[in-house]
C-alpha cells in the first residue's frame, strides 16, 4: 500500500524513512540486512528526528485526530538497543575495538530480547527447558537450537583462549580477561535458571578467578616489597588460598609456570604437608581446610566454585573476590558488585595495605569477575 513519505534521514549506518504511520530503517555499510518496518502511530507521522538524541534513537510524532476545541497528539521514541547483529559472530566481533568494559547495556538488551524469542519458539515446537545437554549438542549455528547469548559467550571464550595461546608462545603473561568478563556479565544477567546457564557461569568464574590468582601471585613474587617481607595473618592465608585454587583448576603438565609458582608459594608460606603435596596432581580432597565458618566453626573447604563456599554444616558463605578469604560476618566495610553480586572486603583507602598487586586501595572498586563497578557498604 502506497503511503505519503513525510521525511527521509540518512547516516553512515542507516536510512530512515517515515511514510504514512510507519517507520522503515534500511541498514547500510558493512552490515547490510533486511529493512525494519513498524507502525509507529495510528495516523500519519508529522515529525521524524534522528539528529538530536544519542545514536540508534529515533523521535517521531503524529496528530492522531482533532476537533474544533483540541487536537490529540502522540509521540514516540524508538531506541535501537544494539547493532543489527545477524548472528553471534557479528556481535562478538563488535567488541574487538574495546580495551575495557564501559557499558554492555546494548548487548545485554539484545541478548535478553533474543532469549525471549528463543524460548517462545521452543515452546511452540513442544521443546522443554534448554539444558546443558542441549548446549553440548548444539554448535555455533544459532538456528540449530541454542540462544544467541550462549553462542556469543562461546565465541568470546574462544577468542580469549586464542589470546592466551599467543601470549604463551611469546612467553608473556596471560592478557586481561575482558572477553571472559563480558561473557560472565551476559550469562549472569540472562533471566531464568537452567543447568546450561549454571554450567556456563561456573566455568567462566573459574577461568576469570584463575587469571586473577595467577596475576596476583606473579606480582607478589616479583615485587621487591613482597620479596623483602613474609606475609602473615590474612595476607598469608590469601596467598595460600590462591595457590590452592590454581592447583585445583589450572595446573597441568602443559603449564609448568603455574606449577612452579604454586610450589614457590607453598615453600614460603605452606605447611609441611603443602610442601610434600604434588601440585600437578591436586584433588579437592588433598587440599587442607584453612578456614572455619564464622557461624558454627565448622570447616570451610575450598572448591572449584571458589566464590560460593559452604561449610560442612551447610551454611552458605561468601568469599572476597580480591583475596579469596571467607568474608567475616562482622566486617565493617563490604563492596558488592551491582551486576553479578560478587563481594569483596577492605577499606577504600589504607596506606598500610594494598590490593594484592602492589597498588593502593582505591575509593572506587571494579569487580574482578565482570568488570562492573561495586557499591561500598558500611555497617
Amino acid at each position: 500500500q502506497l503511503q505519503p513519505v513525510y521525511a527521509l534521514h540518512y547516516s553512515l549506518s542507516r536510512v530512515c524513512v517515515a511514510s504514512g504511520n510507519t517507520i522503515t530503517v534500511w541498514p547500510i555499510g558493512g552490515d547490510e540486512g533486511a529493512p525494519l518496518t513498524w507502525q509507529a502511530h495510528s495516523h500519519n507521522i508529522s515529525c521524524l528526528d534522528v539528529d538530536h538524541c544519542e545514536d540508534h534513537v529515533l523521535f517521531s510524532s503524529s496528530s492522531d485526530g482533532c476537533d474544533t476545541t483540541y487536537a490529540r497528539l502522540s509521540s514516540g521514541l524508538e531506541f535501537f538497543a544494539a547493532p543489527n547483529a545477524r548472528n553471534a559472530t557479528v556481535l562478538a566481533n563488535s567488541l574487538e575495538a574495546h580495551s575495557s568494559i564501559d557499558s554492555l547495556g546494548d548487548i545485554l538488551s539484545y541478548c535478553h530480547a533474543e532469549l525471549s524469542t528463543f524460548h517462545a519458539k521452543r515452546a511452540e515446537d513442544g521443546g522443554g527447558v534448554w539444558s546443558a545437554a542441549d548446549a553440548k549438542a548444539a554448535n555455533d549455528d544459532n538456528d540449530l537450537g541454542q540462544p544467541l547469548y550462549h553462542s556469543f559467550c562461546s565465541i568470546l571464550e574462544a577468542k580469549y583462549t586464542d589470546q592466551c595461546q599467543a601470549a604463551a608462545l611469546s612467553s608473556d603473561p596471560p592478557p586481561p580477561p575482558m572477553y571472559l568478563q563480558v561473557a560472565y556479565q551476559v550469562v549472569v544477567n540472562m533471566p531464568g535458571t537452567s543447568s546450561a546457564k549454571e554450567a556456563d557461569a561456573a566455568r567462566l568464574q573459574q577461568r576469570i578467578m584463575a587469571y586473577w590468582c595467577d596475576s596476583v601471585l606473579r606480582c607478589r613474587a616479583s615485587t621487591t616489597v613482597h620479596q623483602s617481607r613474609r606475609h602473615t595473618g590474612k595476607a598469608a592465608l590469601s596467598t595460600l588460598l590462591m595457590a590452592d585454587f590454581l592447583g585445583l583448576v589450572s595446573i597441568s603438565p602443559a603449564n609448568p609456570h603455574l606449577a612452579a609458582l604454586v610450589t614457590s608459594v607453598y615453600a614460603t608460606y605452606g605447611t609441611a604437608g603443602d610442601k610434600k603435596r604434588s601440585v600437578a596432581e591436586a584433588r579437592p580432597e588433598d587440599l587442607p581446610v584453612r578456614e572455619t565458618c564464622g557461624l558454627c566453626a565448622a570447616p570451610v573447604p575450598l572448591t572449584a566454585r571458589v566464590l560460593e563456599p559452604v561449610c560442612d554444616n551447610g551454611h552458605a558463605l561468601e568469599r572476597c573476590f580480591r583475596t579469596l578469604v571467607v568474608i567475616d560476618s562482622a566486617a565493617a566495610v563490604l563492596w558488592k558488585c551491582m551486576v553479578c553480586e560478587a563481594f569483596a572486603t577492605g577499606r577504600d583507602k589504607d596506606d598500610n595495605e594494598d590490593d594484592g598487586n602492589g597498588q593502593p586501595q582505591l575509593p572506587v572498586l571494579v569487580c574482578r569477575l565482570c568488570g562492573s563497578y561495586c557499591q561500598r557498604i558500611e555497617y
Side-chain angles (χ1 to χ4, degrees):
Q1 182 180 1
L2 296 178
Q3 296 285 346
V5 174
Y6 169 78
L8 183 150
H9 292 276
Y10 64 90
S11 66
L12 295 177
S13 60
R14 63 179 57 84
V15 175
C16 305
V17 174
S19 57
N21 61 355
T22 65
I23 296 176
T24 302
V25 176
W26 283 269
I28 59 177
D31 294 327
E32 293 90 350
L36 304 175
T37 300
W38 66 95
Q39 180 178 329
H41 300 276
S42 299
H43 291 70
N44 288 346
I45 295 172
S46 58
C47 175
L48 178 66
D49 193 348
V50 298
D51 298 324
H52 298 292
C53 297
E54 296 180 2
D55 193 18
H56 309 313
V57 177
L58 304 179
F59 176 81
S60 64
S61 65
S62 168
S63 175
D64 287 345
C66 62
D67 58 24
T68 57
T69 59
Y70 69 93
R72 293 192 301 274
L73 301 177
S74 69
S75 62
L77 195 64
E78 315 290 345
F79 179 70
F80 289 80
N84 187 23
R86 297 186 300 274
N87 52 51
T89 301
V90 173
L91 195 61
N93 289 341
S94 69
L95 292 172
E96 291 186 352
H98 293 71
S99 59
S100 63
I101 301 176
D102 295 322
S103 173
L104 296 179
D106 52 351
I107 292 177
L108 292 174
S109 175
Y110 194 88
C111 291
H112 189 285
E114 193 279 336
L115 181 62
S116 299
T117 303
F118 172 83
H119 285 318
K121 290 182 178 179
R122 190 175 177 89
E124 289 177 359
D125 296 337
V129 177
W130 192 66
S131 66
D134 296 323
K136 187 175 182 180
N139 59 26
D140 287 341
D141 186 350
N142 196 51
D143 294 334
L144 293 183
Q146 62 178 327
L148 180 140
Y149 90 84
H150 185 267
S151 301
F152 172 66
C153 293
S154 297
I155 293 171
L156 293 185
E157 279 195 83
K159 284 179 176 290
Y160 183 70
T161 299
D162 292 342
Q163 287 182 332
C164 291
Q165 291 174 347
L169 291 175
S170 304
S171 299
D172 294 327
M178 189 198 77
Y179 285 137
L180 298 184
Q181 289 176 321
V182 172
Y184 186 77
Q185 191 173 145
V186 169
V187 168
V188 299
N189 279 280
M190 289 300 100
T193 58
S194 68
S195 57
K197 177 181 175 180
E198 292 176 358
D200 288 342
R203 183 181 64 257
L204 289 166
Q205 185 184 108
Q206 285 183 20
R207 294 193 67 181
I208 294 170
M209 293 310 301
Y211 164 82
W212 287 115
C213 291
D214 181 17
S215 177
V216 169
L217 293 184
R218 282 175 187 260
C219 290
R220 289 183 176 177
S222 61
T223 305
T224 303
V225 66
H226 290 298
Q227 291 176 339
S228 62
R229 61 182 174 87
R230 182 187 176 99
H231 283 299
T232 59
K234 284 193 174 182
L237 174 61
S238 171
T239 303
L240 286 169
L241 289 171
M242 291 183 185
D244 289 345
F245 180 68
L246 286 177
L248 189 62
V249 302
S250 299
I251 300 298
S252 69
N255 199 337
H257 157 74
L258 284 182
L261 185 62
V262 172
T263 300
S264 174
V265 169
Y266 287 158
T268 305
Y269 303 103
T271 64
D274 292 329
K275 297 173 184 178
K276 293 180 180 179
R277 188 171 56 254
S278 172
V279 297
E281 300 175 358
R283 298 174 299 174
E285 57 268 26
D286 295 333
L287 295 177
V289 178
R290 305 186 190 275
E291 298 172 285
T292 57
C293 177
L295 299 175
C296 66
V300 182
L302 182 78
T303 67
R305 301 294 291 267
V306 62
L307 297 184
E308 303 168 21
V310 178
C311 80
D312 285 355
N313 285 335
H315 292 126
L317 307 171
E318 297 282 352
R319 285 192 189 275
C320 172
F321 63 70
R322 302 168 75 189
T323 65
L324 298 194
V325 176
V326 171
I327 294 177
D328 188 348
S329 58
V333 177
L334 289 177
W335 295 87
K336 180 180 180 181
C337 176
M338 302 310 295
V339 174
C340 72
E341 299 186 342
F343 284 90
T345 57
R347 288 164 285 182
D348 52 3
K349 283 188 177 181
D350 191 329
D351 294 334
N352 298 320
E353 296 182 3
D354 58 52
D355 67 354
N357 61 5
Q359 299 297 320
Q361 295 182 9
L362 301 175
V364 175
L365 186 65
V366 175
C367 176
R368 287 182 174 174
L369 266 180
C370 72
S372 302
Y373 287 109
C374 297
Q375 180 184 21
R376 188 176 187 270
I377 305 172
E378 187 170 354
Y379 296 97

